[in-house]
Amino acid sequence: MTDVARVAVVDDDRAIRWVLERALAQPDLDVECIERADLALSRLLDDPPDVLVTDIRMPGIDGLDLMSRVRDVHPDLPVIVMTAHSDLDSAVASYQGGAFEYLPKPFDVDEALALVRRAVAHARERKRPVSVPEGLDAEIIGEAPAMQEVFRAIGRLSHSHITVLINGESGTGKERVARALHQHSPRTGKPFIALNMAAIPRDLIESELFGHEKGAFTGATAQRQGRFEQADGGTLFLDEIGDMPAETQTRLLRVLADGEFYRVGGHTPVKVDVRIIAATHQNLETLVEDGRFREDLFHRLNVIRVHLPKLAERREDIPRLARHFLAEASKELSTDVKVLTKDAETHLTRLPWPGNVRQLENTCRWLTVMASGREVLIEDLPPELREPEAAERGNGDWRAAFRDWADRALAAGHTHLLEEAVPDFEKILIETALKHTGGRKGEAAELLGWGRNTLTRKLKTLLPALADGE
């Protein structure tokens, strides 16, 4: 038998009390209506209900003052604040006072009932202890096969100083992997310096990397160490290496070859011992073919390559990642840890996540601030994630799905969208054509409208495992 939850309604409007008393007359709810806050206060303090529903403007003590006094003694009591004066100040004051939810009048009685039930569920959830799963402080979370490959690569490289190139879409966690490579290397006690090429104005990149001498340019009032010197003995992580200007690529190549460089405006060589870990979401082979990235530098960087999968390719990791990010957000914001319901967790695993792990992390931070109760339901998700069609992408017209992907990717901050999409687009067409021809490349090339040589070149770049053989 379901436990009966006690609900107290405080409102000086007899009609509202009458409506709520009947709307909340459910087998699992016991409703008590009180017409004044000052009459309700001592009763609520001595014998608190499971949920308090209160108006704001009432004679004597108002609803916000009532909520404040009751929550001082019973801080876990969920309070639903009602008011006919639905303005911004009332809403802000309600939430700042710790309201579970704000309900402007007039309201739909079914909505009010659903809100009370959620508040009851929240109150009961608060009484159950939350245990944060072990291992959530791990550097990288991942049980999917593709992530296990990443872990194996980090393990194999743990005793190495070798250069590593990390490939992966924006938001897949390339810097986390770079830090893990550093922390599990012989350089772990030395500096880890990260620099994002895409975030620095082109005319400042060389000064950022190599430093400058006093007077080297306008504003250079003192000598400054660059990131190479700061990382001496440790690791320099160059993110979005594909955005590095051509002249800087040439200087970087010399540093990798000689282990020394000149500060901007300097004449004395500076010797450093730095391990380079580079990362990009772009296809560097394509940039090399287009003449936008030096081929010799590419081969210097591409000694060991680690590929990070998209979040959509490791869906089994989403629940654990979400729990981790919710726990992190609760620490950051000094609030309770939110807990996903099973339905919400399942829904999240079906979404496309164009922004990858970073988008999931930001969603968990949003939920920690915006979700009413400790238990997160599907309806608590941001509007763009809770629509039923959000979890059903891919059915129907591929052009509509592709347009939707582009829209979401741009909204998530992706750049160079063609370089991200075209290789995947071509890879899918090649794989499908080969499937239809039983692996016969000549016929597949004909189906695609390419020459045999074009298909062979594309296979070497996009699907090297299929490049050999017929």
Side-chain angles (χ1 to χ4, degrees), residues 9-13 17 33-37 39 58-59:
V9 176
V10 182
D11 197 314
D12 61 327
D13 187 329
R17 295 199 306 273
C33 291
I34 309 168
E35 64 182 17
R36 291 174 59 102
L39 297 175
M58 293 180 288

Short mmCIF file of all heavy atoms in Angstrom, two decimals, residues 9-13 17 33-37 39 58-59:
data_model
loop_
_atom_site.label_atom_id
_atom_site.label_comp_id
_atom_site.label_asym_id
_atom_site.label_seq_id
_atom_site.Cartn_x
_atom_site.Cartn_y
_atom_site.Cartn_z
N VAL A 9 -1.97 23.38 2.61
CA VAL A 9 -2.26 24.49 1.70
C VAL A 9 -2.60 25.71 2.54
O VAL A 9 -3.52 25.67 3.35
CB VAL A 9 -3.43 24.15 0.75
CG1 VAL A 9 -3.78 25.36 -0.12
CG2 VAL A 9 -3.11 22.94 -0.11
N VAL A 10 -1.85 26.81 2.33
CA VAL A 10 -2.08 28.04 3.08
C VAL A 10 -2.43 29.14 2.09
O VAL A 10 -1.60 29.52 1.24
CB VAL A 10 -0.84 28.44 3.91
CG1 VAL A 10 -1.14 29.71 4.72
CG2 VAL A 10 -0.40 27.31 4.82
N ASP A 11 -3.70 29.65 2.16
CA ASP A 11 -4.14 30.69 1.22
C ASP A 11 -5.36 31.37 1.83
O ASP A 11 -6.26 30.70 2.35
CB ASP A 11 -4.49 30.08 -0.14
CG ASP A 11 -4.56 31.13 -1.25
OD1 ASP A 11 -5.18 32.18 -1.02
OD2 ASP A 11 -3.98 30.87 -2.32
N ASP A 12 -5.39 32.70 1.77
CA ASP A 12 -6.53 33.41 2.34
C ASP A 12 -7.73 33.45 1.39
O ASP A 12 -8.80 33.92 1.75
CB ASP A 12 -6.12 34.84 2.72
CG ASP A 12 -5.66 35.66 1.51
OD1 ASP A 12 -5.07 35.05 0.58
OD2 ASP A 12 -5.88 36.88 1.50
N ASP A 13 -7.56 32.95 0.18
CA ASP A 13 -8.65 32.91 -0.81
C ASP A 13 -9.41 31.60 -0.67
O ASP A 13 -8.89 30.52 -0.95
CB ASP A 13 -8.05 33.03 -2.22
CG ASP A 13 -9.12 33.16 -3.31
OD1 ASP A 13 -10.21 32.60 -3.13
OD2 ASP A 13 -8.83 33.80 -4.33
N ARG A 17 -8.58 27.55 -1.86
CA ARG A 17 -8.53 26.44 -0.91
C ARG A 17 -9.51 25.34 -1.34
O ARG A 17 -9.19 24.16 -1.29
CB ARG A 17 -8.86 26.92 0.51
CG ARG A 17 -7.85 27.88 1.08
CD ARG A 17 -7.93 27.98 2.61
NE ARG A 17 -9.26 28.29 3.10
CZ ARG A 17 -9.75 29.53 3.27
NH1 ARG A 17 -9.00 30.58 2.95
NH2 ARG A 17 -10.96 29.73 3.75
N CYS A 33 -6.15 22.43 4.66
CA CYS A 33 -6.16 23.81 4.18
C CYS A 33 -6.24 24.78 5.37
O CYS A 33 -7.06 24.59 6.28
CB CYS A 33 -7.35 24.05 3.25
SG CYS A 33 -7.19 23.17 1.67
N ILE A 34 -5.43 25.83 5.34
CA ILE A 34 -5.37 26.82 6.42
C ILE A 34 -5.47 28.19 5.78
O ILE A 34 -4.82 28.47 4.77
CB ILE A 34 -4.04 26.69 7.22
CG1 ILE A 34 -3.84 25.24 7.65
CG2 ILE A 34 -4.04 27.64 8.42
CD1 ILE A 34 -2.45 24.95 8.20
N GLU A 35 -6.28 29.08 6.38
CA GLU A 35 -6.59 30.35 5.70
C GLU A 35 -5.57 31.46 5.97
O GLU A 35 -5.53 32.44 5.25
CB GLU A 35 -7.99 30.83 6.08
CG GLU A 35 -8.15 31.15 7.56
CD GLU A 35 -9.58 31.58 7.90
OE1 GLU A 35 -10.48 31.32 7.09
OE2 GLU A 35 -9.77 32.17 8.97
N ARG A 36 -4.76 31.33 7.03
CA ARG A 36 -3.81 32.40 7.34
C ARG A 36 -2.45 31.81 7.70
O ARG A 36 -2.36 30.76 8.36
CB ARG A 36 -4.30 33.25 8.51
CG ARG A 36 -5.52 34.10 8.21
CD ARG A 36 -6.01 34.78 9.49
NE ARG A 36 -4.99 35.62 10.10
CZ ARG A 36 -4.97 36.95 10.00
NH1 ARG A 36 -5.90 37.57 9.30
NH2 ARG A 36 -4.05 37.66 10.60
N ALA A 37 -1.39 32.52 7.29
CA ALA A 37 -0.04 32.04 7.55
C ALA A 37 0.30 32.08 9.04
O ALA A 37 0.97 31.17 9.55
CB ALA A 37 0.98 32.87 6.76
N LEU A 39 -1.70 31.61 11.48
CA LEU A 39 -2.35 30.47 12.13
C LEU A 39 -1.63 29.17 11.81
O LEU A 39 -1.60 28.24 12.61
CB LEU A 39 -3.81 30.36 11.67
CG LEU A 39 -4.74 31.53 12.02
CD1 LEU A 39 -6.12 31.31 11.39
CD2 LEU A 39 -4.86 31.66 13.54
N MET A 58 -0.77 37.58 1.79
CA MET A 58 -1.82 37.25 2.76
C MET A 58 -1.73 38.23 3.91
O MET A 58 -0.67 38.83 4.14
CB MET A 58 -1.63 35.82 3.28
CG MET A 58 -1.84 34.73 2.25
SD MET A 58 -1.61 33.06 2.93
CE MET A 58 0.18 33.03 3.14
N PRO A 59 -2.83 38.43 4.64
CA PRO A 59 -2.77 39.32 5.81
C PRO A 59 -1.77 38.80 6.84
O PRO A 59 -1.58 37.59 6.99
CB PRO A 59 -4.20 39.26 6.37
CG PRO A 59 -5.04 38.73 5.26
CD PRO A 59 -4.16 37.86 4.44
#
